[in-house]
Amino acid sequence: MQPNSASPPKTCLLPTTILHTMIRVRDLDRSVAFYRDALGMTEFRREDYPEGQFTLSFMGYSEATTIELTYNYAPVEYTHGSGFGHIALAVSNINAVCERLTSMGVKISRQPGPMAYRASSGNRDVIAFITDPDGYQIELIEDNKS
């Protein structure tokens, strides 16, 4: 991309929607149950690829943006790498959500509370982190707009 280009590209030349983010899981049924029961997501579709030896499950709150859970028939031990951070979800009452998740046995890796640092705008979100069955971090951010 060239800086200082004369005019921006036409909209038809740009992506318009984030469709999904993919994470690899070791036990598809366990992961689907976690995202469905603990986080209230819906499994919108499941696609099996026997020749490719994998199954995909698309979970989310709407079909427009989902998390793609990828299960490989012969999984290897996955690492999350140093580049992946977390998935973030909005919640209306972070303390109540964390109490419910704790009662379900979900690991709260950072208890609810304000962020350590304040944004330059003065905002200081109230956050918590939980861990999914495969060790992925999920940030819960209290959304006071709802």
Side-chain angles (χ1 to χ4, degrees), residues 50-104:
E51 288 184 51
Q53 302 273 301
F54 64 93
T55 300
L56 309 177
S57 171
F58 295 87
M59 306 284 302
Y61 301 108
S62 77
E63 285 188 80
T65 306
T66 58
I67 296 172
E68 174 190 307
L69 305 177
T70 298
Y71 170 73
N72 292 293
Y73 296 175
V76 296
E77 196 59 36
Y78 301 120
T79 62
H80 297 164
S82 61
F84 176 79
H86 60 270
I87 298 164
L89 303 174
V91 299
S92 59
N93 183 328
I94 201 163
N95 290 311
V97 169
C98 287
E99 286 175 24
R100 178 181 159 274
L101 292 171
T102 298
S103 74
M104 297 175 71

Side-chain angles (χ1 to χ4, degrees), residues 9-62:
K10 293 180 180 181
T11 305
C12 67
L13 301 176
L14 298 172
T16 60
T17 305
I18 296 174
L19 298 174
H20 63 262
T21 296
M22 183 273 270
I23 58 175
R24 297 185 193 283
V25 300
R26 290 185 294 264
D27 181 328
L28 186 59
D29 292 333
R30 177 184 70 176
S31 293
V32 166
F34 174 83
Y35 284 90
R36 180 192 62 224
D37 301 341
L39 300 178
M41 292 185 184
T42 298
E43 182 180 36
F44 289 105
R45 70 184 188 279
R46 189 177 286 209
E47 300 171 357
D48 194 36
Y49 296 84
E51 288 184 51
Q53 302 273 301
F54 64 93
T55 300
L56 309 177
S57 171
F58 295 87
M59 306 284 302
Y61 301 108
S62 77

Side-chain angles (χ1 to χ4, degrees), residues 122-140:
N123 292 342
R124 193 167 170 182
D125 289 337
V126 176
I127 65 171
F129 276 88
I130 63 172
T131 305
D132 90 344
D134 289 282
Y136 293 104
Q137 292 296 296
I138 299 170
E139 181 181 18
L140 305 176

